[in-house]
Amino acid sequence: MQLPLSVPSTLPQPRASRSGWQCTSADGRFEVRLTRSPEDITAAQRLRYQVFYEEMAAEPSPEMARLGLDFDQFDRLCDHLMVFDRRRPEGEQAVGTYRLLRRQFAELHGGFYSASEYDLQIMLDYVGVGGGLLELGRSCVHRDYRTNATIQLLWRGISTYVADHGISFMFGCASFPGTNPQDHALALSYLHHNHLPPQEWRVRALPERFVSMNLMPADQVSPRAALHALPPLIKGYLRLGAYIGDGAVIDHQFGTTDVFILLPVDRIAPKYQNRFSADEGLIVTEYHA
């Protein structure tokens, strides 16, 4: 994952906020959209269901299975970033999505999604009321579009959102497949020994859900082998400069072992800051549902 930002050393200042926008590729094929449209959200939920429940091992509720949609109470609180391929049939054009939840909306409606797995208070206190916090969730790309080009479009959108809202910290959960941490002992141990955040804002798994990631001694962990074993999304976050929270969590509904990702915007690796210009090759227009 690469995030195209020129990052200031102080807290970023929000620019004029846009409630919705869409960016269209020069050839008209791909569109990146920030949206709260009910129709668009349904398309995102349908894509998420196909990936999480039909392709992977998540367990849907009876209502989810009946509708063929992945949904929860957070969908109505979030902005939804989506990629569409306009050459696909109508109703099947959504090929990528992220769910974006800012602190001001989370705190008005009961908190962040990841608070069900991790104690976020130390991070909230450290960042303070004036610091922009953004939770990234429900990352999902259609199996035929898991390429750098699609990821690039999503992260162009995220970079625009970060600049619009003065975001200083991004965070969320990322997953290993399966619910047996021992299957990922090498990778989890590598993360524990090398990528914990500073103690003063070290987010930790909730006590009742905490699973140690310290499964192998540091001197037995091969960084090269561990990096090879990491899921691409987690590896991409590390390249950007992300930290990993203390402790993994088993998510039985989704059949995954989760880790906490914390990415201060001012930590983004310089070589990625300008890799992709947010608007390069894209025509940006306002979008209203």
Side-chain angles (χ1 to χ4, degrees):
M1 294 282 193
Q2 296 89 6
L3 183 60
L5 287 175
S6 179
V7 183
S9 57
T10 57
L11 284 179
Q13 298 301 307
R15 64 192 185 193
S17 180
R18 295 171 283 189
S19 60
W21 43 257
Q22 58 190 17
C23 307
T24 307
S25 61
D27 63 4
R29 176 175 180 178
F30 289 99
E31 180 181 300
V32 187
R33 182 184 297 171
L34 180 71
T35 179
R36 285 183 172 227
S37 156
E39 181 180 354
D40 290 340
I41 293 174
T42 298
Q45 293 170 334
R46 184 177 299 112
L47 176 63
R48 284 161 24 191
Y49 188 90
Q50 291 169 354
V51 173
F52 297 143
Y53 299 92
E54 295 180 350
E55 182 181 345
M56 299 180 182
E59 292 289 335
S61 68
E63 184 72 358
M64 288 178 179
R66 183 179 70 83
L67 297 173
L69 302 175
D70 168 62
F71 57 86
D72 63 21
Q73 71 274 23
F74 288 90
D75 279 325
R76 64 182 179 86
L77 308 179
C78 295
D79 291 313
H80 296 259
L81 184 68
M82 302 181 65
V83 175
F84 297 89
D85 180 355
R86 291 308 183 194
R87 294 184 185 175
R88 291 176 62 85
E90 193 71 29
E92 301 177 17
Q93 294 182 351
V95 298
T97 185
Y98 253 106
R99 198 165 71 175
L100 311 178
L101 180 58
R102 281 179 283 146
R103 182 176 189 172
Q104 67 187 88
F105 292 105
E107 292 185 341
L108 285 173
H109 300 279
F112 290 104
Y113 175 86
S114 52
S116 64
E117 297 188 356
Y118 288 87
D119 183 352
L120 307 181
Q121 193 59 51
I122 192 169
M123 177 186 70
L124 299 176
D125 292 343
Y126 179 83
V127 174
V129 176
L133 277 170
L134 175 65
E135 183 179 55
L136 305 178
R138 287 298 203 271
S139 172
C140 177
V141 176
H142 189 284
R143 71 166 74 201
D144 296 337
Y145 291 82
R146 289 167 196 164
T147 64
N148 286 337
T150 309
I151 301 304
Q152 172 180 325
L153 290 171
L154 283 168
W155 278 85
R156 282 177 173 174
I158 290 173
S159 73
T160 300
Y161 194 89
V162 165
D164 275 359
H165 297 287
I167 301 300
S168 55
F169 276 70
M170 292 179 281
F171 68 95
C173 296
S175 303
F176 289 82
T179 58
N180 183 0
Q182 287 294 337
D183 292 342
H184 307 287
L186 175 63
L188 289 171
S189 299
Y190 168 79
L191 295 176
H192 174 81
H193 292 306
N194 295 280
H195 292 284
L196 291 180
Q199 192 69 48
E200 59 267 27
W201 42 277
R202 183 173 296 175
V203 170
R204 182 178 172 88
L206 294 171
E208 65 274 19
R209 305 197 68 178
F210 182 92
V211 175
S212 177
M213 301 189 332
N214 186 14
L215 303 175
M216 295 173 59
D219 59 4
Q220 294 182 20
V221 174
S222 163
R224 183 183 181 91
L227 286 168
H228 182 74
L230 284 172
L233 182 63
I234 296 176
K235 192 183 306 184
Y237 285 135
L238 294 182
R239 291 195 188 105
L240 284 173
Y243 294 104
I244 305 295
D246 187 9
V249 170
I250 305 303
D251 187 330
H252 292 284
Q253 179 190 357
F254 282 88
T256 58
T257 300
D258 295 346
V259 296
F260 188 80
I261 305 292
L262 179 56
L263 177 58
V265 170
D266 64 5
R267 277 265 303 179
I268 295 172
K271 67 179 180 179
Y272 294 122
Q273 290 175 10
N274 298 308
R275 168 80 53 97
F276 304 121
S277 170
D279 298 330
E280 181 181 348
L282 299 172
I283 302 168
V284 184
T285 58
E286 294 293 312
Y287 175 77
H288 303 283

